[in-house]
Amino acid sequence: RGHYNLDRVVIFIPSDVAADLVNEATGEKRPKNRALKHLSTLPIAELKKSRTGKARGWIWRGKGSTQEDRPVALGDVVLPNIDDVKYD
């Protein structure tokens, strides 16, 4: 597990995990397909659906990342405490 700069990191989030995060954030208990549909409607420029031969999920691409940056698994990223996050 490593600390990453969220403005530069590229993170792969499996669909099951993304659905759980949506439900946790909204306080609702949507089925996986509905949670992911809701996620796809949100205007989050850094987040895109990803389908590869190996896995389905979502890619978070920080604003400072490059196309050469390869995704890391969400489980490998130490996320900051929400109270420590500063917004522009």
Side-chain angles (χ1 to χ4, degrees), residues 26-47:
T26 62
E28 298 181 21
K29 298 295 179 203
R30 294 180 173 104
K32 177 181 166 183
N33 63 331
R34 286 192 156 168
L36 295 175
K37 179 65 176 169
H38 177 72
L39 182 59
S40 71
T41 68
L42 300 176
I44 304 171
E46 296 85 358
L47 195 61

